[in-house]
Amino acid sequence: MKNYAYVGALGLLSIITTEFGVIGVLPHIASHYQISIDKASWLLSGFALVIALLGPFMTLFAARMDKKKVMLLAIFLFIASSTISVFLPPFWLLLTLRLLSALLQPVYIANALSIAVSFADKEKESQMMSIVFSGITIASFTTIPLATYLTNLYGLEAIFIIQGVVSTLAFIAIYFVLPNVEGGGKAFDIKELHIFKEASFIRSALVNLFVIAMWFSVYSYFADYLNKEKNMSGLMVGNMILLFGVVGLLAMYVGGKLLSRGVVFSNMVYVTGAIVLAIALYFSGSDVVITTGIVMIWSMLYTPVYLNAVAFLQRTTSVSFALGSSLSTSFGNLGIAFGTLVGGKVIAGYGMHYLPIAMFCIAVVTLVLMFIVKQKNRIQA
């Protein structure tokens, strides 16, 4: 039933609003708590690290539990975190709340996909999965820019109110629409973890990690970068985040078409594009028209990154679909944490102006790794 997939998408929208919503308001968080921007970025990198390190184990742990109840618990953690955060508690507590809510994020995604697929005809499984994942794209041009816009108007509390409202709506929808579904054994066989010993897997996993890190070395500081380097006001930054999300709709369509030409080719195109983008960001100055054009190109290159990263790991290794999906999420979030930390170190040590250099360097390393994978791994169609 499509209704189950739409409910899954709503829950994923609330999760992504919480995870990535802070990107547009990091300058406000740093200012309110009187901390550096790289320390404030732990709200993003810490969240990602919890998913990266504990995601597969939490998925295994919850595999035998009722899927609906686990999804409700996951969303409840987000509601509780957002509700307490509205009162702007000490930074250590704000960070702790985000880390706790991150624990069940990968479990929610796995269960939402499982319920959407299990009640659909075989030929419609891909369509149901696509609907669930649409929550990510929808958040990028609705709740995330809205949260940034309202935070600029009314203060930091606004973003946590929006996160809480969306998570509450998702909780209600899950409770009333989804059926109870008993857990069905393990998400994947623990014996499959032998793949960590395979050189082909290690090479592809590093690509998965570095391609995400490449983007988040700059994207994590999107708002602060546009404000300080491109001289954009808070309102203009909010408009850029909205534009970024809207262009992302076209980007996902193009990304799917490009992926059909080959997973290595597709990823190489995007990484090469990131190298060109980094150079453009570094030398472009602060002209509004030029910056707007760069943001649009940035969105076209960045938005399909998750689709391409998951496909790359699946099609260049012998990993199973279930384990590959879980590990792609883990390595992707490890890449978010790594890229965010690298970007923060560059800002702290050299200044915001040199942030695109971090993207450039990681992109070059990623491109080299991709050439090695192309030469040594067995590539699936």
Side-chain angles (χ1 to χ4, degrees):
M1 293 178 64
K2 282 189 177 182
N3 286 347
Y4 297 165
Y6 288 129
V7 169
L10 178 59
L12 189 53
L13 182 148
S14 72
I15 289 172
I16 296 302
T17 301
T18 301
E19 181 175 5
F20 293 144
V22 296
I23 289 175
V25 300
L26 276 183
H28 295 271
I29 293 172
S31 176
H32 175 82
Y33 288 102
Q34 296 296 296
I35 56 177
S36 63
I37 193 72
D38 59 309
K39 184 175 181 180
S41 70
W42 271 101
L43 293 174
L44 179 63
S45 57
F47 192 103
L49 275 175
V50 169
I51 298 172
L53 300 178
L54 300 179
F57 302 103
M58 294 301 295
T59 304
L60 276 173
F61 177 75
R64 295 183 182 276
M65 300 179 183
D66 184 282
K67 297 183 185 301
K68 176 180 176 179
K69 291 178 181 177
V70 174
M71 290 171 69
L72 287 171
L73 177 59
I75 299 299
F76 175 78
L77 289 177
F78 281 93
I79 294 173
S81 173
S82 299
T83 301
I84 299 173
S85 298
V86 169
F87 299 99
L88 303 181
F91 184 76
W92 66 266
L93 180 55
L94 186 68
L95 177 59
T96 301
L97 290 169
R98 281 182 63 83
L99 298 185
L100 289 174
S101 63
L103 282 172
L104 292 179
Q105 191 249 38
V107 181
Y108 174 89
I109 295 175
N111 286 348
L113 289 171
S114 177
I115 291 178
V117 168
S118 61
F119 287 90
D121 296 331
K122 187 69 177 178
E123 63 272 13
K124 293 186 177 181
E125 288 183 358
S126 296
Q127 181 186 0
M128 296 303 105
M129 292 175 65
S130 177
I131 291 173
V132 173
F133 276 118
S134 69
I136 299 176
T137 306
I138 294 171
S140 69
F141 68 90
T142 56
T143 50
I144 291 177
L146 178 63
T148 304
Y149 177 76
L150 293 181
T151 297
N152 283 308
L153 286 181
Y154 301 111
L156 196 52
E157 296 87 350
I159 185 172
F160 301 117
I161 292 174
I162 290 174
Q163 290 171 1
V165 169
V166 177
S167 295
T168 300
L169 291 174
F171 186 94
I172 294 171
I174 293 169
Y175 184 84
F176 286 105
V177 177
L178 294 189
N180 290 310
V181 179
E182 294 183 4
K186 295 180 180 180
F188 51 82
D189 192 337
I190 196 77
K191 295 179 181 178
E192 293 183 65
L193 295 181
H194 71 82
I195 198 165
F196 279 101
K197 297 179 181 179
E198 297 181 9
S200 61
F201 174 80
I202 294 172
R203 288 190 291 265
S204 293
L206 285 174
V207 169
N208 191 299
L209 188 156
F210 274 89
V211 77
I212 302 293
M214 169 188 78
W215 288 113
F216 276 85
S217 61
V218 180
Y219 182 65
S220 295
Y221 305 96
F222 189 89
D224 208 35
Y225 181 79
L226 293 182
N227 174 249
K228 293 179 179 177
E229 279 301 307
K230 304 303 180 183
N231 297 323
M232 289 189 166
S233 65
L235 182 59
M236 290 176 69
V237 169
N239 289 335
M240 289 299 104
I241 292 175
L242 176 60
L243 176 64
F244 196 93
V246 171
V247 173
L249 292 173
L250 175 61
M252 283 301 293
Y253 174 79
V254 174
K257 292 291 186 181
L258 193 59
L259 185 59
S260 65
R261 297 191 58 184
V263 68
V264 176
F265 171 79
S266 176
N267 276 273
M268 283 185 171
V269 168
Y270 285 112
V271 174
T272 303
I275 292 174
V276 176
L277 178 68
I279 295 171
L281 285 171
Y282 187 80
F283 290 106
S284 61
S286 57
D287 182 85
V288 174
V289 176
I290 294 176
T291 300
T292 300
I294 289 176
V295 167
M296 294 174 69
I297 296 171
W298 191 347
S299 178
M300 287 295 298
L301 294 169
Y302 160 81
T303 304
V305 64
Y306 303 104
L307 173 66
N308 278 273
V310 171
F312 191 90
L313 190 65
Q314 294 278 6
R315 299 181 189 178
T316 60
T317 70
S318 59
V319 66
S320 68
F321 179 83
L323 180 58
S325 298
S326 180
L327 291 178
S328 292
T329 300
S330 290
F331 282 108
N333 277 276
L334 193 59
I336 292 173
F338 177 62
T340 302
L341 290 173
V342 169
K345 292 297 182 183
V346 169
I347 293 171
Y350 303 97
M352 189 70 70
H353 179 67
Y354 292 93
L355 202 54
I357 301 300
M359 180 196 287
F360 180 89
C361 293
I362 298 175
V364 171
V365 173
T366 306
L367 201 57
V368 172
L369 287 171
M370 283 183 177
F371 273 112
I372 295 174
V373 168
K374 184 179 180 181
Q375 294 296 320
K376 295 183 175 293
N377 286 32
R378 183 178 178 181
I379 313 298
Q380 302 173 34

